[in-house]
Amino acid sequence: GLPGLGFSYVNAGALSAGSCTPLSVPGQLPQIPGWLFDRLGPLHIRARYLPRALPWLVRFLRAADAKKIDAKADALRAMHRDVIAGYTAFLKGTAGMELFSVSGVLQAYTSSKRLDASLDWHLRGARGVRQELVGTDRLREMVPELSHEYVQGLLLADHGFVRQPHLFVTALVDRFASDGGDIVQARVHDLLREGDGTVVGVATTAGDISADRVVLCAGAWSMRLLAPYGVRIPLETQRGYHATALGANIQLSLPVVASEAKIYATPMQNGLRFAGTVEFAGLDAAADHRRFEAALELGRRMFPALECSGVEEWMGHRPCLPDSLPVVGPLAALRSLYVNFGHGHYGMTASPGSAALLAAMVSGRTLPFDPKPYSPERF
């Protein structure tokens, strides 16, 4: 498909420089059954897909090792830290600069105890992320329309958001082309290899394309190319849904996150987008319309006075690995092939960092940060 019409189209538009908490954390297991049976819960697994998802879910739960949390948080912080500077450097002087804003992100809590016990709070603080407590009165001043159910907030001042992710990705593609990049729209169906197994290009519906080095970053579909060659990377799709209230009567100046419900409310050019739930159902199953309804219902809980002229619904695939870190780097089994996928919920945030790391690997330049945590060989 056209650039920007994959999961970039459906995401919450968040640029989360300080996000450093793995998805799987200690103490999470008791919450999962409640989420599964809650129609509005943040996690849903379709019954027929459970046998296929179960091995991944077991690895995911095992990844909640308290002894490894700090190392994962360091790796996430290293990759996310320079997201704003990365996009600014690439889009400077283009119309794409107008599509994102360093506004901060406001996390809203229904109880001060929830924030005090938040692992996110402690992991971010230990890594120098700016975070400011927001009391009830100031919360009302910042977001008057927010439900009075929320009594405390946390402002992450160095975070930002993209006002229209589709157009933002289009701006990135245009900049790539203006710098001399060639864009070929075709389906890649195989790798081209020499007798010793070295990858020398790709076979596509538009013909073979030769290359000294090949980078595979096909998101949730990446393993469909790698699995036939015996590569075993535990990639799963966490399907994400958004419901955008078109022409919404509520105009936010920054994204607001309902922390317990794990729902983002992001101001977009065409309305107010609610995104954040997770579904396990594979790459091919049709969207579940009830998940759109759930996202919108949670949005109305956040903003009881919400009115809109219509609703846009979209579902996309987040490529996720059980330890919450992507794979970035060369594959031992396929020489001259590099991979860059599995960024999960942080795709737009992690793009500049993972691209800088991969570019340095391919070109032999000094690496911007330690590549070891993201090695595809760790599995």
Side-chain angles (χ1 to χ4, degrees):
L2 294 172
L5 292 182
F7 197 76
S8 297
Y9 192 91
V10 70
N11 69 28
L15 301 178
S16 306
S19 289
C20 56
T21 305
L23 290 177
S24 182
V25 296
Q28 193 174 57
L29 181 58
Q31 296 176 281
I32 292 178
W35 287 344
L36 294 178
F37 292 102
D38 181 358
R39 186 177 65 84
L40 299 181
L43 173 64
H44 178 70
I45 304 175
R46 293 197 190 180
R48 67 179 60 183
Y49 193 73
L50 180 58
R52 183 168 176 179
L54 193 57
W56 189 96
L57 289 168
V58 170
R59 297 183 76 153
F60 175 77
L61 292 172
R62 285 178 177 171
D65 184 343
K67 296 178 182 178
K68 298 179 180 179
I69 293 294
D70 280 328
K72 293 176 187 175
D74 288 341
L76 289 167
R77 175 65 168 150
M79 183 163 285
H80 300 164
R81 181 192 304 270
D82 296 323
V83 54
I84 302 298
Y87 281 132
T88 298
F90 194 66
L91 291 174
K92 189 175 182 179
T94 75
M97 285 293 293
E98 300 175 5
L99 291 170
F100 73 97
S101 170
V102 188
S103 60
V105 168
L106 181 64
Q107 295 187 341
Y109 292 82
T110 58
S111 165
S112 59
K113 292 182 180 180
R114 299 273 187 152
L115 178 53
D116 293 340
S118 168
L119 179 62
D120 294 347
W121 163 263
H122 297 291
L123 290 176
R124 284 192 298 255
R127 284 155 189 82
V129 177
R130 285 202 299 161
Q131 41 187 2
E132 178 185 350
L133 288 173
V134 176
T136 303
D137 291 343
R138 188 178 173 208
L139 191 63
R140 298 284 165 263
E141 293 174 4
M142 293 180 69
V143 191
E145 303 90 349
L146 187 65
S147 167
H148 284 216
E149 179 183 4
Y150 298 93
V151 298
Q152 189 171 32
L154 185 69
L155 179 63
L156 301 170
D158 294 328
H159 286 210
F161 73 102
V162 175
R163 303 176 194 282
Q164 187 52 271
H166 172 217
L167 296 180
F168 187 70
V169 174
T170 300
L172 294 171
V173 171
D174 290 345
R175 177 59 193 269
F176 171 76
S178 69
D179 284 349
D182 292 328
I183 299 170
V184 178
Q185 189 176 347
R187 180 180 294 274
V188 176
H189 54 80
D190 204 355
L191 303 173
L192 301 177
R193 297 192 303 160
E194 292 185 332
D196 64 355
T198 300
V199 175
V200 294
V202 291
T204 83
T205 52
D208 293 349
I209 300 175
S210 300
D212 294 331
R213 296 175 184 83
V214 174
V215 176
L216 173 60
C217 45
W221 289 266
S222 296
M223 289 309 299
R224 289 190 171 178
L225 279 173
L226 295 178
Y229 296 99
V231 176
R232 295 292 178 260
I233 296 173
L235 182 68
E236 182 58 82
T237 170
Q238 292 187 13
R239 295 149 58 100
Y241 290 75
H242 90 214
T244 301
L246 302 175
N249 61 328
I250 293 172
Q251 304 294 320
L252 300 181
S253 61
L254 79 175
V256 178
V257 185
S259 293
E260 289 94 346
K262 302 187 185 302
I263 286 286
Y264 254 85
T266 307
M268 295 285 168
Q269 287 185 339
N270 60 343
L272 187 58
R273 175 171 297 177
F274 301 104
T277 62
V278 168
E279 179 190 49
F280 287 86
L283 291 168
D284 301 316
D288 181 350
H289 187 76
R290 293 171 298 179
R291 303 303 293 172
F292 299 122
E293 294 174 344
L296 188 60
E297 185 172 338
L298 286 166
R300 293 190 187 281
R301 281 190 184 180
M302 291 177 70
F303 303 102
L306 177 67
E307 296 179 1
C308 61
S309 59
V311 179
E312 178 191 65
E313 301 174 343
W314 197 270
M315 185 273 288
H317 298 272
R318 304 183 187 101
C320 291
L321 294 166
D323 62 359
S324 301
L325 298 175
V327 287
V328 183
L331 275 181
L334 294 165
R335 291 171 54 191
S336 296
L337 179 70
Y338 294 75
V339 295
N340 186 12
F341 59 81
H343 297 82
H345 297 236
Y346 296 124
M348 189 162 279
T349 292
S351 292
S354 61
L357 180 60
L358 190 62
M361 289 178 175
V362 171
S363 62
R365 298 196 302 267
T366 301
L367 302 181
F369 46 88
D370 183 8
K372 186 177 179 181
Y374 325 101
S375 170
E377 308 305 326
R378 70 185 187 269
F379 299 109

